[in-house]
Amino acid sequence: MDLLEGMLQREKEEFKRIGNRLLSCCFLCKGNITNKSDYYFVLRNREKYQEFLGVLGYRLEINEEYGVVQLVNPQNYNRQNLKLFESVILLILRILYDEKKRELSVSDEVIVNLGDIQDKFLSLGIREKMIDKMTMRNTLNLFRRFQLIELLDKDLGNEESRLLLYDSILMAVRVEDIKQTYEKLEIYRKGKQADEETDENEADKLAPV
């Protein structure tokens, strides 16, 4: 039986386009105005998508409370491996989302600026200096591609530049993921301290009498 039987040709083309979009970015957010119609298309055709994506080994997760569609691979194929500071920034964005959401009504958008991220980073005690501009720019562009954020201002060198946090971040970083990331941060922090102690000992050996 044809999976797309009964659909108009235009709907079949939409089905393919949105399916490929999901495979490339993993999330569709109702809160993203450019994706809103795609989100509702998936909801209307969820059984077809579940069957189609299931053949490829994927699972479709839909959270209508958050307004998010997520594509998950239980076999851990095609995962995006994050670098340390990408993981750190993702954690910070999730923490900021929670903090800002408490101050807002349910329907309000969560908007933060680069200064909020840098302040939270310094408060974690990873290192004394801020995240460099290149790392910040590349990381935020990566998260934008995965529909976790939207950049509201182009100048990513300005601490006042804003970004919108989508509800998809709640599914990208779940409670257990936050705990694991904190554990990873602690390992990094201890490793940094050990490196500094080694450097001090070496300096002692080389110091003139």
Side-chain angles (χ1 to χ4, degrees), residues 45-100:
N45 297 279
R46 68 176 74 195
E47 293 182 0
K48 292 181 184 296
Y49 274 112
Q50 285 168 345
E51 182 179 349
F52 167 69
L53 295 167
V55 173
L56 302 177
Y58 289 93
R59 183 176 71 246
L60 192 69
E61 294 190 2
I62 300 175
N63 190 312
E64 294 188 56
E65 179 185 355
Y66 300 156
V68 177
V69 172
Q70 180 182 14
L71 194 62
V72 178
N73 193 302
Q75 285 77 41
N76 291 327
Y77 294 137
N78 299 326
R79 292 177 65 88
Q80 176 72 38
N81 294 318
L82 298 180
K83 299 174 183 177
L84 176 64
F85 280 100
E86 292 172 344
S87 297
V88 171
I89 293 172
L90 183 60
L91 168 65
I92 289 172
L93 292 175
R94 172 58 197 274
I95 293 171
L96 290 173
Y97 177 97
D98 289 343
E99 291 178 352
K100 297 288 184 181

Side-chain angles (χ1 to χ4, degrees), residues 148-192:
L148 300 178
I149 67 170
E150 185 57 62
L151 304 175
L152 301 179
D153 297 303
K154 294 181 179 180
D155 184 5
L156 295 183
N158 186 341
E159 288 194 2
E160 296 301 318
S161 292
R162 303 159 301 149
L163 50 144
L164 169 67
L165 305 184
Y166 290 127
D167 292 342
S168 52
I169 200 165
L170 296 171
M171 298 176 73
V173 186
R174 308 191 189 215
V175 174
E176 60 271 20
D177 297 323
I178 289 179
K179 181 176 183 296
Q180 291 169 3
T181 307
Y182 267 120
E183 291 171 352
K184 186 173 182 179
L185 286 174
E186 186 59 27
I187 291 171
Y188 177 75
R189 188 180 293 113
K190 289 178 179 178
K192 179 175 178 292

